[in-house]
Amino acid sequence: DFTNSVEFGGVITDGNSMVVDSLKKDTINIYFSKDGKFTEDLPNYEIKYRKYPYSMILTFNGVRGMYDTYIEKKVERLPFVKDVYDIMTLDDSQRKFAIEFKENIDFKITEHKNPGMIQVKIKGNKNIEENKVAYFIRTKEFEYGEEIARIEESLLNYSDVDVQKVSNGEYIIQFGPYENKEEANKIIEEVKKDKSIDVDFYLESRNLGQGPKVK
């Protein structure tokens, strides 16, 4: 279960490969292997849950390969899942991907050992959430590739930065969510003064569950 929508765990590893699978309609299983054998422990990881749109961002360190075909065949068909996409990084021993959901969901993260596995168990959330408008600062859209990974890396000193896929299949970098325009505008002004950042940002509002708009 999550605290403040973020969970960390695992140990320092290197050279692992990752297999994402699903044996039931309400579970996602993530295994790790090295030299053809499943690893006993989990690599270092971070999992975040976001609500604009409803999505989970999973980052694994010490992982060099990921079998994308398993994601396409096993995870995208699950009833709560809307999309699964890779997020490029410039670190060849880090893999990051996102799972976007059709609705707000409840889930539980369980760690397993021998073999090391993370299991995400998903169920529908019956609680009706009142809409809450949030504010983001974001870039224009970019094609998937190293350019957006370089921009994200230049923002390592900032918090609440994510790469987000847009409905047109392209990607943006965003800061947020923020509760009001004033808070978001302070970040925009701070970023404008940073000479190491060579990309424009602008303000965008979203309803609960809504993703970035096509610019």
Side-chain angles (χ1 to χ4, degrees), residues 105-131:
I105 49 97
D106 281 333
F107 51 87
K108 186 174 184 178
I109 306 294
T110 307
E111 292 187 9
H112 296 263
K113 188 178 177 70
N114 296 323
M117 182 187 78
I118 293 176
Q119 183 175 77
V120 183
K121 190 173 181 64
I122 304 168
K123 65 178 181 179
N125 189 327
K126 296 180 180 179
N127 296 323
I128 299 175
E129 284 191 293
E130 183 179 350
N131 180 46

PDB file of all heavy atoms in Angstrom, residues 105-131:
ATOM      1  N   ILE A 105      -8.072   3.495  -9.528  1.00  0.00           N
ATOM      2  CA  ILE A 105      -8.082   2.117  -9.059  1.00  0.00           C
ATOM      3  C   ILE A 105      -7.440   2.025  -7.675  1.00  0.00           C
ATOM      4  O   ILE A 105      -6.686   2.905  -7.254  1.00  0.00           O
ATOM      5  CB  ILE A 105      -7.352   1.174 -10.054  1.00  0.00           C
ATOM      6  CG1 ILE A 105      -5.981   1.730 -10.451  1.00  0.00           C
ATOM      7  CG2 ILE A 105      -8.183   0.954 -11.294  1.00  0.00           C
ATOM      8  CD1 ILE A 105      -4.851   1.189  -9.689  1.00  0.00           C
ATOM      9  N   ASP A 106      -7.787   0.963  -6.983  1.00  0.00           N
ATOM     10  CA  ASP A 106      -7.078   0.590  -5.765  1.00  0.00           C
ATOM     11  C   ASP A 106      -6.086  -0.494  -6.128  1.00  0.00           C
ATOM     12  O   ASP A 106      -6.361  -1.345  -6.990  1.00  0.00           O
ATOM     13  CB  ASP A 106      -8.049   0.048  -4.713  1.00  0.00           C
ATOM     14  CG  ASP A 106      -8.808   1.150  -3.989  1.00  0.00           C
ATOM     15  OD1 ASP A 106      -8.275   2.270  -3.908  1.00  0.00           O
ATOM     16  OD2 ASP A 106      -9.924   0.892  -3.516  1.00  0.00           O
ATOM     17  N   PHE A 107      -4.941  -0.490  -5.473  1.00  0.00           N
ATOM     18  CA  PHE A 107      -3.967  -1.525  -5.778  1.00  0.00           C
ATOM     19  C   PHE A 107      -3.086  -1.783  -4.571  1.00  0.00           C
ATOM     20  O   PHE A 107      -2.981  -0.969  -3.656  1.00  0.00           O
ATOM     21  CB  PHE A 107      -3.106  -1.146  -6.984  1.00  0.00           C
ATOM     22  CG  PHE A 107      -2.495   0.218  -6.878  1.00  0.00           C
ATOM     23  CD1 PHE A 107      -1.278   0.405  -6.236  1.00  0.00           C
ATOM     24  CD2 PHE A 107      -3.137   1.316  -7.404  1.00  0.00           C
ATOM     25  CE1 PHE A 107      -0.732   1.661  -6.123  1.00  0.00           C
ATOM     26  CE2 PHE A 107      -2.595   2.576  -7.295  1.00  0.00           C
ATOM     27  CZ  PHE A 107      -1.383   2.754  -6.654  1.00  0.00           C
ATOM     28  N   LYS A 108      -2.450  -2.933  -4.599  1.00  0.00           N
ATOM     29  CA  LYS A 108      -1.526  -3.309  -3.536  1.00  0.00           C
ATOM     30  C   LYS A 108      -0.257  -3.836  -4.179  1.00  0.00           C
ATOM     31  O   LYS A 108      -0.310  -4.645  -5.109  1.00  0.00           O
ATOM     32  CB  LYS A 108      -2.154  -4.374  -2.635  1.00  0.00           C
ATOM     33  CG  LYS A 108      -1.309  -4.718  -1.417  1.00  0.00           C
ATOM     34  CD  LYS A 108      -2.050  -5.670  -0.486  1.00  0.00           C
ATOM     35  CE  LYS A 108      -1.231  -5.923   0.780  1.00  0.00           C
ATOM     36  NZ  LYS A 108      -1.942  -6.805   1.731  1.00  0.00           N
ATOM     37  N   ILE A 109       0.884  -3.355  -3.698  1.00  0.00           N
ATOM     38  CA  ILE A 109       2.181  -3.789  -4.188  1.00  0.00           C
ATOM     39  C   ILE A 109       2.750  -4.808  -3.204  1.00  0.00           C
ATOM     40  O   ILE A 109       2.849  -4.541  -2.010  1.00  0.00           O
ATOM     41  CB  ILE A 109       3.159  -2.606  -4.318  1.00  0.00           C
ATOM     42  CG1 ILE A 109       2.551  -1.484  -5.168  1.00  0.00           C
ATOM     43  CG2 ILE A 109       4.490  -3.072  -4.877  1.00  0.00           C
ATOM     44  CD1 ILE A 109       2.332  -1.836  -6.592  1.00  0.00           C
ATOM     45  N   THR A 110       3.129  -5.976  -3.700  1.00  0.00           N
ATOM     46  CA  THR A 110       3.710  -7.013  -2.853  1.00  0.00           C
ATOM     47  C   THR A 110       5.078  -7.406  -3.395  1.00  0.00           C
ATOM     48  O   THR A 110       5.225  -7.654  -4.594  1.00  0.00           O
ATOM     49  CB  THR A 110       2.813  -8.266  -2.813  1.00  0.00           C
ATOM     50  OG1 THR A 110       1.488  -7.879  -2.452  1.00  0.00           O
ATOM     51  CG2 THR A 110       3.327  -9.268  -1.804  1.00  0.00           C
ATOM     52  N   GLU A 111       6.079  -7.446  -2.519  1.00  0.00           N
ATOM     53  CA  GLU A 111       7.411  -7.907  -2.896  1.00  0.00           C
ATOM     54  C   GLU A 111       7.546  -9.397  -2.585  1.00  0.00           C
ATOM     55  O   GLU A 111       7.109  -9.859  -1.538  1.00  0.00           O
ATOM     56  CB  GLU A 111       8.483  -7.140  -2.116  1.00  0.00           C
ATOM     57  CG  GLU A 111       8.610  -5.683  -2.477  1.00  0.00           C
ATOM     58  CD  GLU A 111       9.808  -5.044  -1.791  1.00  0.00           C
ATOM     59  OE1 GLU A 111      10.616  -5.788  -1.188  1.00  0.00           O
ATOM     60  OE2 GLU A 111       9.938  -3.816  -1.849  1.00  0.00           O
ATOM     61  N   HIS A 112       8.174 -10.132  -3.501  1.00  0.00           N
ATOM     62  CA  HIS A 112       8.442 -11.551  -3.296  1.00  0.00           C
ATOM     63  C   HIS A 112       9.940 -11.814  -3.454  1.00  0.00           C
ATOM     64  O   HIS A 112      10.650 -11.067  -4.134  1.00  0.00           O
ATOM     65  CB  HIS A 112       7.652 -12.400  -4.305  1.00  0.00           C
ATOM     66  CG  HIS A 112       6.174 -12.299  -4.150  1.00  0.00           C
ATOM     67  ND1 HIS A 112       5.422 -13.208  -3.447  1.00  0.00           N
ATOM     68  CD2 HIS A 112       5.286 -11.369  -4.599  1.00  0.00           C
ATOM     69  CE1 HIS A 112       4.149 -12.864  -3.464  1.00  0.00           C
ATOM     70  NE2 HIS A 112       4.040 -11.745  -4.169  1.00  0.00           N
ATOM     71  N   LYS A 113      10.410 -12.878  -2.856  1.00  0.00           N
ATOM     72  CA  LYS A 113      11.813 -13.251  -2.897  1.00  0.00           C
ATOM     73  C   LYS A 113      11.921 -14.713  -3.333  1.00  0.00           C
ATOM     74  O   LYS A 113      11.057 -15.526  -3.052  1.00  0.00           O
ATOM     75  CB  LYS A 113      12.423 -13.055  -1.498  1.00  0.00           C
ATOM     76  CG  LYS A 113      13.938 -13.227  -1.403  1.00  0.00           C
ATOM     77  CD  LYS A 113      14.385 -12.962   0.021  1.00  0.00           C
ATOM     78  CE  LYS A 113      15.880 -13.192   0.204  1.00  0.00           C
ATOM     79  NZ  LYS A 113      16.673 -12.165  -0.485  1.00  0.00           N
ATOM     80  N   ASN A 114      13.023 -15.039  -4.032  1.00  0.00           N
ATOM     81  CA  ASN A 114      13.297 -16.421  -4.486  1.00  0.00           C
ATOM     82  C   ASN A 114      12.155 -17.023  -5.304  1.00  0.00           C
ATOM     83  O   ASN A 114      11.534 -17.995  -4.863  1.00  0.00           O
ATOM     84  CB  ASN A 114      13.614 -17.320  -3.283  1.00  0.00           C
ATOM     85  CG  ASN A 114      14.871 -16.910  -2.564  1.00  0.00           C
ATOM     86  OD1 ASN A 114      15.838 -16.486  -3.176  1.00  0.00           O
ATOM     87  ND2 ASN A 114      14.858 -17.030  -1.247  1.00  0.00           N
ATOM     88  N   PRO A 115      11.850 -16.561  -6.493  1.00  0.00           N
ATOM     89  CA  PRO A 115      12.559 -15.489  -7.200  1.00  0.00           C
ATOM     90  C   PRO A 115      12.036 -14.104  -6.820  1.00  0.00           C
ATOM     91  O   PRO A 115      10.923 -13.965  -6.308  1.00  0.00           O
ATOM     92  CB  PRO A 115      12.239 -15.793  -8.670  1.00  0.00           C
ATOM     93  CG  PRO A 115      10.875 -16.397  -8.621  1.00  0.00           C
ATOM     94  CD  PRO A 115      10.851 -17.221  -7.354  1.00  0.00           C
ATOM     95  N   GLY A 116      12.865 -13.095  -7.080  1.00  0.00           N
ATOM     96  CA  GLY A 116      12.451 -11.720  -6.824  1.00  0.00           C
ATOM     97  C   GLY A 116      11.338 -11.314  -7.775  1.00  0.00           C
ATOM     98  O   GLY A 116      11.445 -11.482  -8.988  1.00  0.00           O
ATOM     99  N   MET A 117      10.248 -10.808  -7.238  1.00  0.00           N
ATOM    100  CA  MET A 117       9.103 -10.404  -8.058  1.00  0.00           C
ATOM    101  C   MET A 117       8.334  -9.305  -7.353  1.00  0.00           C
ATOM    102  O   MET A 117       8.210  -9.306  -6.128  1.00  0.00           O
ATOM    103  CB  MET A 117       8.165 -11.589  -8.309  1.00  0.00           C
ATOM    104  CG  MET A 117       6.976 -11.249  -9.196  1.00  0.00           C
ATOM    105  SD  MET A 117       5.747 -12.597  -9.325  1.00  0.00           S
ATOM    106  CE  MET A 117       4.899 -12.432  -7.764  1.00  0.00           C
ATOM    107  N   ILE A 118       7.829  -8.361  -8.130  1.00  0.00           N
ATOM    108  CA  ILE A 118       6.867  -7.385  -7.645  1.00  0.00           C
ATOM    109  C   ILE A 118       5.515  -7.747  -8.246  1.00  0.00           C
ATOM    110  O   ILE A 118       5.401  -7.934  -9.454  1.00  0.00           O
ATOM    111  CB  ILE A 118       7.243  -5.954  -8.053  1.00  0.00           C
ATOM    112  CG1 ILE A 118       8.521  -5.518  -7.344  1.00  0.00           C
ATOM    113  CG2 ILE A 118       6.115  -4.977  -7.730  1.00  0.00           C
ATOM    114  CD1 ILE A 118       9.007  -4.156  -7.767  1.00  0.00           C
ATOM    115  N   GLN A 119       4.511  -7.850  -7.407  1.00  0.00           N
ATOM    116  CA  GLN A 119       3.162  -8.110  -7.900  1.00  0.00           C
ATOM    117  C   GLN A 119       2.278  -6.910  -7.596  1.00  0.00           C
ATOM    118  O   GLN A 119       2.224  -6.437  -6.464  1.00  0.00           O
ATOM    119  CB  GLN A 119       2.554  -9.356  -7.262  1.00  0.00           C
ATOM    120  CG  GLN A 119       1.177  -9.690  -7.827  1.00  0.00           C
ATOM    121  CD  GLN A 119       0.622 -10.985  -7.283  1.00  0.00           C
ATOM    122  OE1 GLN A 119       0.141 -11.039  -6.160  1.00  0.00           O
ATOM    123  NE2 GLN A 119       0.704 -12.045  -8.084  1.00  0.00           N
ATOM    124  N   VAL A 120       1.617  -6.416  -8.622  1.00  0.00           N
ATOM    125  CA  VAL A 120       0.657  -5.317  -8.491  1.00  0.00           C
ATOM    126  C   VAL A 120      -0.732  -5.926  -8.610  1.00  0.00           C
ATOM    127  O   VAL A 120      -1.092  -6.461  -9.660  1.00  0.00           O
ATOM    128  CB  VAL A 120       0.863  -4.244  -9.576  1.00  0.00           C
ATOM    129  CG1 VAL A 120      -0.098  -3.091  -9.359  1.00  0.00           C
ATOM    130  CG2 VAL A 120       2.306  -3.752  -9.598  1.00  0.00           C
ATOM    131  N   LYS A 121      -1.491  -5.880  -7.544  1.00  0.00           N
ATOM    132  CA  LYS A 121      -2.862  -6.409  -7.556  1.00  0.00           C
ATOM    133  C   LYS A 121      -3.825  -5.243  -7.661  1.00  0.00           C
ATOM    134  O   LYS A 121      -3.774  -4.309  -6.854  1.00  0.00           O
ATOM    135  CB  LYS A 121      -3.137  -7.223  -6.295  1.00  0.00           C
ATOM    136  CG  LYS A 121      -4.449  -7.993  -6.339  1.00  0.00           C
ATOM    137  CD  LYS A 121      -4.591  -8.909  -5.152  1.00  0.00           C
ATOM    138  CE  LYS A 121      -5.893  -9.711  -5.187  1.00  0.00           C
ATOM    139  NZ  LYS A 121      -5.953 -10.630  -6.330  1.00  0.00           N
ATOM    140  N   ILE A 122      -4.704  -5.271  -8.654  1.00  0.00           N
ATOM    141  CA  ILE A 122      -5.555  -4.141  -8.990  1.00  0.00           C
ATOM    142  C   ILE A 122      -7.027  -4.484  -8.750  1.00  0.00           C
ATOM    143  O   ILE A 122      -7.473  -5.590  -9.035  1.00  0.00           O
ATOM    144  CB  ILE A 122      -5.382  -3.755 -10.483  1.00  0.00           C
ATOM    145  CG1 ILE A 122      -3.917  -3.473 -10.788  1.00  0.00           C
ATOM    146  CG2 ILE A 122      -6.233  -2.550 -10.842  1.00  0.00           C
ATOM    147  CD1 ILE A 122      -3.631  -3.381 -12.270  1.00  0.00           C
ATOM    148  N   LYS A 123      -7.755  -3.497  -8.253  1.00  0.00           N
ATOM    149  CA  LYS A 123      -9.209  -3.641  -8.183  1.00  0.00           C
ATOM    150  C   LYS A 123      -9.849  -2.271  -8.361  1.00  0.00           C
ATOM    151  O   LYS A 123      -9.211  -1.241  -8.143  1.00  0.00           O
ATOM    152  CB  LYS A 123      -9.643  -4.267  -6.860  1.00  0.00           C
ATOM    153  CG  LYS A 123      -9.363  -3.432  -5.629  1.00  0.00           C
ATOM    154  CD  LYS A 123      -9.888  -4.129  -4.385  1.00  0.00           C
ATOM    155  CE  LYS A 123      -9.641  -3.298  -3.132  1.00  0.00           C
ATOM    156  NZ  LYS A 123     -10.179  -3.952  -1.917  1.00  0.00           N
ATOM    157  N   GLY A 124     -11.092  -2.266  -8.772  1.00  0.00           N
ATOM    158  CA  GLY A 124     -11.794  -1.009  -8.985  1.00  0.00           C
ATOM    159  C   GLY A 124     -11.984  -0.247  -7.687  1.00  0.00           C
ATOM    160  O   GLY A 124     -12.161  -0.834  -6.621  1.00  0.00           O
ATOM    161  N   ASN A 125     -11.948   1.065  -7.780  1.00  0.00           N
ATOM    162  CA  ASN A 125     -12.158   1.929  -6.622  1.00  0.00           C
ATOM    163  C   ASN A 125     -13.611   2.384  -6.618  1.00  0.00           C
ATOM    164  O   ASN A 125     -14.049   3.130  -7.496  1.00  0.00           O
ATOM    165  CB  ASN A 125     -11.223   3.138  -6.692  1.00  0.00           C
ATOM    166  CG  ASN A 125     -11.219   3.957  -5.420  1.00  0.00           C
ATOM    167  OD1 ASN A 125     -12.239   4.055  -4.741  1.00  0.00           O
ATOM    168  ND2 ASN A 125     -10.078   4.539  -5.098  1.00  0.00           N
ATOM    169  N   LYS A 126     -14.382   1.938  -5.617  1.00  0.00           N
ATOM    170  CA  LYS A 126     -15.809   2.244  -5.572  1.00  0.00           C
ATOM    171  C   LYS A 126     -16.096   3.631  -4.993  1.00  0.00           C
ATOM    172  O   LYS A 126     -17.224   4.119  -5.067  1.00  0.00           O
ATOM    173  CB  LYS A 126     -16.540   1.177  -4.750  1.00  0.00           C
ATOM    174  CG  LYS A 126     -16.487  -0.210  -5.374  1.00  0.00           C
ATOM    175  CD  LYS A 126     -17.233  -1.227  -4.530  1.00  0.00           C
ATOM    176  CE  LYS A 126     -17.167  -2.612  -5.163  1.00  0.00           C
ATOM    177  NZ  LYS A 126     -17.884  -3.629  -4.338  1.00  0.00           N
ATOM    178  N   ASN A 127     -15.101   4.249  -4.400  1.00  0.00           N
ATOM    179  CA  ASN A 127     -15.297   5.581  -3.828  1.00  0.00           C
ATOM    180  C   ASN A 127     -15.370   6.623  -4.938  1.00  0.00           C
ATOM    181  O   ASN A 127     -14.526   6.657  -5.830  1.00  0.00           O
ATOM    182  CB  ASN A 127     -14.158   5.931  -2.872  1.00  0.00           C
ATOM    183  CG  ASN A 127     -14.111   5.005  -1.679  1.00  0.00           C
ATOM    184  OD1 ASN A 127     -15.150   4.590  -1.176  1.00  0.00           O
ATOM    185  ND2 ASN A 127     -12.912   4.667  -1.235  1.00  0.00           N
ATOM    186  N   ILE A 128     -16.366   7.458  -4.897  1.00  0.00           N
ATOM    187  CA  ILE A 128     -16.526   8.521  -5.893  1.00  0.00           C
ATOM    188  C   ILE A 128     -15.741   9.742  -5.438  1.00  0.00           C
ATOM    189  O   ILE A 128     -16.017  10.311  -4.377  1.00  0.00           O
ATOM    190  CB  ILE A 128     -18.010   8.877  -6.095  1.00  0.00           C
ATOM    191  CG1 ILE A 128     -18.773   7.643  -6.606  1.00  0.00           C
ATOM    192  CG2 ILE A 128     -18.156  10.036  -7.071  1.00  0.00           C
ATOM    193  CD1 ILE A 128     -20.269   7.867  -6.722  1.00  0.00           C
ATOM    194  N   GLU A 129     -14.742  10.114  -6.232  1.00  0.00           N
ATOM    195  CA  GLU A 129     -13.921  11.266  -5.889  1.00  0.00           C
ATOM    196  C   GLU A 129     -14.510  12.538  -6.494  1.00  0.00           C
ATOM    197  O   GLU A 129     -14.887  12.564  -7.665  1.00  0.00           O
ATOM    198  CB  GLU A 129     -12.489  11.087  -6.413  1.00  0.00           C
ATOM    199  CG  GLU A 129     -11.650  10.138  -5.606  1.00  0.00           C
ATOM    200  CD  GLU A 129     -10.196  10.207  -6.015  1.00  0.00           C
ATOM    201  OE1 GLU A 129      -9.891   9.814  -7.149  1.00  0.00           O
ATOM    202  OE2 GLU A 129      -9.362  10.652  -5.216  1.00  0.00           O
ATOM    203  N   GLU A 130     -14.560  13.583  -5.709  1.00  0.00           N
ATOM    204  CA  GLU A 130     -14.997  14.870  -6.226  1.00  0.00           C
ATOM    205  C   GLU A 130     -13.902  15.444  -7.115  1.00  0.00           C
ATOM    206  O   GLU A 130     -12.715  15.369  -6.792  1.00  0.00           O
ATOM    207  CB  GLU A 130     -15.274  15.816  -5.058  1.00  0.00           C
ATOM    208  CG  GLU A 130     -15.816  17.173  -5.497  1.00  0.00           C
ATOM    209  CD  GLU A 130     -16.103  18.064  -4.299  1.00  0.00           C
ATOM    210  OE1 GLU A 130     -16.059  17.563  -3.157  1.00  0.00           O
ATOM    211  OE2 GLU A 130     -16.361  19.267  -4.515  1.00  0.00           O
ATOM    212  N   ASN A 131     -14.310  15.980  -8.261  1.00  0.00           N
ATOM    213  CA  ASN A 131     -13.319  16.528  -9.188  1.00  0.00           C
ATOM    214  C   ASN A 131     -12.518  17.653  -8.532  1.00  0.00           C
ATOM    215  O   ASN A 131     -13.072  18.498  -7.825  1.00  0.00           O
ATOM    216  CB  ASN A 131     -14.003  17.064 -10.446  1.00  0.00           C
ATOM    217  CG  ASN A 131     -12.998  17.631 -11.433  1.00  0.00           C
ATOM    218  OD1 ASN A 131     -11.972  17.012 -11.700  1.00  0.00           O
ATOM    219  ND2 ASN A 131     -13.278  18.801 -11.962  1.00  0.00           N
TER     220      ASN A 131
END
